[in-house]
Amino acid sequence: GYLKMAEEVKKDEKELEKKTAESNFEEEDSGASQVKKVNLFDQLFANNNKLLTVNGSEFAISNETRRLLALFSDGTYLVSKDNRFDGAVYNFEANVKRRKIPIKAPRYVTLNEIAAIYAYAERGAGTVDVSAEEAEDMQMQIDFINIIQRASQKKVSDVHVVVGSSSTVLFRENGIMVKQNEYGGEWGEAFVRSVFASADISDSNYSQNEFQGAQKLGSTPLRGSKGKLMLPHNVLAIRLQFNPIAFGSQYLVMRLLYADDNPEGSSDLRSLGLGKYEEDLFYKMRSMAVGLNVVAGPTGSGKSTTLQRNLIKLLQEKNYQINLLTVEDPPEYPIPGARQMPVTNANTEEEKNEQFTKALSAALRSDPDVILVGETRSLSTAELTFKGALSGHGVWTTLHANSAPAIVTRLRDMGIQPYLLNDPELVKGLVSQRLFRKLCPNCRQSIKTKEGTPEFERLRNALGDYGIENVYVSGPGCKACGYKGFKGRMAVDEIILPDSRFLRLMIDNETAKAIDYWVSELNGRPLKDAAIERMIKGQIDMDEVERWCGLIDQRPVY
């Protein structure tokens, strides 16, 4: 039995892994990123080919086994690539051989592809044939999941689909846009429509000429089947943004929200890139029972992840004896022990602000100790966050601001009264964060390889021989980093625990004096200094520092 079959399969495992790449039923052009699509259903059901394992057929198998495999009358045999060693699969193969039913070598596909195949077969088994539109829609669902599968394996933050005369798929990998594939314009239009239809939270109708947001959750019914359209196991949800564009038809951006590697929730800030200096300051902010803490940064700078881990740490330090409520649109990451309240029933920006304010007001009436406000997006939200801090709660929130000092300016410009901003008992912590690409430690090269270049001279002028001996640049790439020269990203933060003098200087637009006071009297460290420390440790390169903080031999500008 099983042992012998397992041994036979393992001998061919390398060959089988190569065949897995065929699961998308795509034929790639080696010279470019053009892809010729072959419709999965047309290929499998051609020439009156029948699905022997469909529900109600003579070949009866359990629903659980049917979820893992499919066998056709011409011997085509499809198996879930993640379940090829399951006992149910071995049992099925032994039964087929015993009954002398033709069966070819297995072709390894995804569970979603198998679910779509059965959906197509079941809908075509009645008196009404499956329409071309329905078949196309099923194919688009498969394409959607396959793209997300590839993106999740690389921990891509965003997938961009630009539709025009041709359709381009791009991944944002480690903060950089990387072109993946290019398809025809018709494929892109059908793909965007199908993704909108698969969303769990969206407007009632798709409108090509309007800006629309939506969200796709972990798994939902596959249209036309009792099966499930499943996202990869490490993807919690996908935020979808549909945009009309000039000289094209649509521009879809999909933000992937990943599950934590630790299902119980991780409180490790060090693994994000924060050092002891930043960790100590976060500890001081958590130790303050009341007051407002703000984390700022552009979209995609890791604010939500940092807050999630910090609040998990807070709950652990308080032995889960506090009531932590969150108001988010939508909740991005689970915080075990918190009550996370989503903002729902809002389509327009005005409705979102109204619903967000309503949810935050409800949270303040729900006996909280600590509140997380997912984003301070309007004056009404900002006023409620200060109301929460004034009424004896700890409040954490995010804000779009360029730096930690600029948080005060941003809140003032939103309409918060100066007397509130000037109170250090209310404004407890100001944080600004960026994500920097980490150098691959296996193939990085010394900055000396750049001798004679402008960047080499800037480094020499700024840090002298010490910098030249300790700074690295990205190398040619290796197997460990996927031949990119970089491997992952790390958070770099600047953190201010302000006092009344610092706040007054910022409110009076004395930014330069406020920065000097923060650095000299409050032991402050600007983002640029924090980034240079990581550069000297060989973790990031000079290009990354200058990308986010300006030229290395210049004073930081706020």
Side-chain angles (χ1 to χ4, degrees):
Y2 297 163
L3 182 59
K4 184 177 180 181
M5 290 182 188
E7 289 174 350
E8 289 175 356
V9 172
K10 288 178 180 178
K11 285 180 183 178
D12 297 329
E13 188 168 6
K14 290 184 179 179
E15 183 180 344
L16 298 179
E17 289 293 340
K18 292 180 181 178
K19 290 183 179 179
T20 301
E22 300 174 0
S23 64
N24 295 335
F25 295 90
E26 296 175 348
E27 194 178 309
E28 295 212 17
D29 215 19
S30 58
S33 60
Q34 293 285 337
V35 176
K36 179 182 178 183
K37 297 292 295 179
V38 179
N39 188 286
L40 170 66
F41 308 107
D42 288 346
Q43 185 188 67
L44 291 174
F45 291 90
N47 302 319
N48 204 31
N49 196 23
K50 302 294 185 183
L51 180 57
L52 298 181
T53 49
V54 71
N55 204 359
S57 68
E58 294 181 3
F59 200 146
I61 58 175
S62 68
N63 288 332
E64 184 59 30
T65 302
R66 188 176 292 109
R67 190 177 67 87
L68 307 179
L69 53 83
L71 179 63
F72 287 81
S73 56
D74 68 351
T76 298
Y77 178 42
L78 307 179
V79 180
S80 163
K81 61 186 177 183
D82 296 325
N83 303 91
R84 60 177 179 264
F85 300 126
D86 281 17
V89 175
Y90 294 149
N91 262 333
F92 175 81
E93 292 172 357
N95 189 22
V96 167
K97 291 174 182 176
R98 187 165 54 249
R99 296 173 60 174
K100 297 182 179 180
I101 296 173
I103 184 170
K104 297 177 181 178
R107 190 170 189 176
Y108 295 97
V109 297
T110 66
L111 287 170
N112 289 298
E113 287 171 326
I114 292 174
I117 288 164
Y118 280 107
Y120 183 89
E122 288 167 3
R123 294 177 76 178
T127 57
V128 180
D129 290 336
V130 176
S131 69
E133 290 77 12
E134 291 172 323
E136 178 186 63
D137 185 43
M138 290 183 189
Q139 181 69 48
M140 291 302 106
Q141 291 182 66
I142 292 174
D143 290 349
F144 169 50
I145 293 299
N146 284 340
I147 288 172
I148 298 302
Q149 181 76 48
R150 294 205 309 270
S152 69
Q153 290 170 351
K154 298 180 179 181
K155 277 299 181 80
V156 166
S157 61
D158 300 85
V159 177
H160 296 243
V161 181
V162 184
V163 183
S165 56
S166 62
S167 302
T168 306
V169 179
L170 305 101
F171 287 173
R172 185 176 287 280
E173 299 179 34
N174 295 326
I176 303 299
M177 297 283 281
V178 181
K179 184 177 179 180
Q180 296 297 308
N181 300 111
E182 193 166 309
Y183 306 104
E186 291 184 1
W187 176 90
E189 292 178 1
F191 180 82
V192 171
R193 286 195 303 270
S194 181
V195 171
F196 184 89
S198 73
D200 302 291
I201 303 172
S202 68
D203 294 345
S204 56
N205 295 305
Y206 170 65
S207 180
Q208 182 172 313
N209 298 317
E210 293 183 9
F211 297 96
Q212 294 178 291
Q215 187 176 13
K216 175 80 183 76
L217 304 178
S219 68
T220 51
L222 182 70
R223 290 191 299 283
S225 172
K226 298 176 183 178
K228 289 281 187 179
L229 179 64
M230 293 170 288
L231 295 179
H233 72 280
N234 61 333
V235 178
L236 285 175
I238 304 173
R239 285 209 314 248
L240 305 167
Q241 179 60 44
F242 300 83
N243 307 307
I245 54 173
F247 314 112
S249 62
Q250 265 290 0
Y251 173 36
L252 167 62
V253 182
M254 301 185 279
R255 164 64 58 86
L256 276 63
L257 305 177
Y258 291 98
D260 202 298
D261 293 335
N262 178 2
E264 298 301 319
S266 172
S267 61
D268 184 9
L269 291 171
R270 288 289 188 99
S271 66
L272 299 179
L274 277 65
K276 187 177 186 306
Y277 173 84
E278 292 85 7
E279 200 171 38
D280 288 345
L281 291 179
F282 266 106
Y283 173 76
K284 290 179 181 179
M285 286 188 282
R286 291 194 303 272
S287 68
M288 301 171 188
V290 299
L292 175 64
N293 298 286
V294 185
V295 180
T299 301
S301 59
K303 303 184 296 293
S304 297
T305 303
T306 297
L307 272 177
Q308 178 222 23
R309 296 203 176 192
N310 181 67
L311 292 178
I312 290 174
K313 188 72 172 177
L314 172 64
L315 285 164
Q316 292 173 347
E317 289 168 347
K318 303 298 183 182
N319 295 315
Y320 298 93
Q321 294 175 341
I322 60 172
N323 186 24
L324 197 161
L325 301 179
T326 80
V327 178
E328 303 169 83
D329 176 27
E332 294 191 3
Y333 301 106
I335 302 174
R339 264 59 68 184
Q340 296 180 257
M341 301 162 58
V343 176
T344 57
N345 302 321
N347 294 321
T348 67
E349 198 62 33
E350 183 179 346
E351 288 177 344
K352 286 181 179 180
N353 286 334
E354 181 182 342
Q355 292 297 326
F356 207 92
T357 302
K358 183 178 179 181
L360 183 51
S361 298
L364 288 170
R365 298 193 301 268
S366 300
D367 188 31
D369 295 299
V370 178
I371 299 173
L372 165 64
V373 181
E375 181 185 347
T376 298
R377 60 174 72 205
S378 64
L379 175 59
S380 58
T381 306
E383 288 175 338
L384 282 171
T385 59
F386 274 88
K387 180 181 177 181
L390 278 167
S391 56
H393 304 106
V395 182
W396 297 76
T397 189
T398 68
L399 183 73
H400 289 293
N402 292 329
S403 65
I407 292 172
V408 179
T409 307
R410 179 82 175 90
L411 289 169
R412 184 197 63 192
D413 291 345
M414 290 176 73
I416 295 299
Q417 294 298 316
Y419 76 90
L420 293 173
L421 289 173
N422 193 36
D423 186 351
E425 294 302 312
L426 287 179
V427 183
K428 292 294 190 180
L430 309 172
V431 182
S432 180
Q433 178 171 298
R434 300 292 187 277
L435 290 180
F436 290 70
R437 289 182 297 168
K438 292 193 295 183
L439 288 168
C440 174
N442 297 296
C443 63
R444 65 183 185 178
Q445 296 178 337
S446 170
I447 189 70
K448 294 177 183 178
T449 60
K450 299 277 188 178
E451 188 170 1
T453 63
E455 54 263 44
F456 184 86
E457 293 306 317
R458 285 199 301 275
L459 182 68
R460 187 197 295 275
N461 292 335
L463 300 179
D465 292 337
Y466 179 77
I468 292 171
E469 292 298 326
N470 290 278
V471 173
Y472 293 84
V473 296
S474 61
C478 62
K479 187 176 181 180
C481 63
Y483 302 96
K484 292 181 173 62
F486 298 93
K487 191 174 183 181
R489 290 190 290 177
M490 68 185 307
V492 179
D493 290 33
E494 63 178 9
I495 303 174
I496 304 174
L497 303 186
D499 63 6
S500 58
R501 182 179 176 186
F502 173 86
L503 293 171
R504 171 50 55 191
L505 288 169
M506 287 301 304
I507 292 169
D508 292 341
N509 290 322
E510 299 280 358
T511 303
K513 290 182 180 179
I515 301 301
D516 287 339
Y517 175 72
W518 167 45
V519 173
S520 61
E521 301 296 329
L522 300 181
N523 193 32
R525 186 169 70 170
L527 181 71
K528 188 171 186 178
D529 292 347
I532 289 174
E533 180 199 32
R534 269 71 166 189
M535 181 186 72
I536 292 172
K537 288 180 178 179
Q539 296 172 325
I540 63 178
D541 70 0
M542 185 174 164
D543 287 344
E544 281 292 284
V545 176
E546 294 192 333
R547 175 189 175 204
W548 290 111
C549 307
L551 297 180
I552 202 166
D553 57 351
Q554 292 180 342
R555 177 189 172 99
V557 178
Y558 286 91

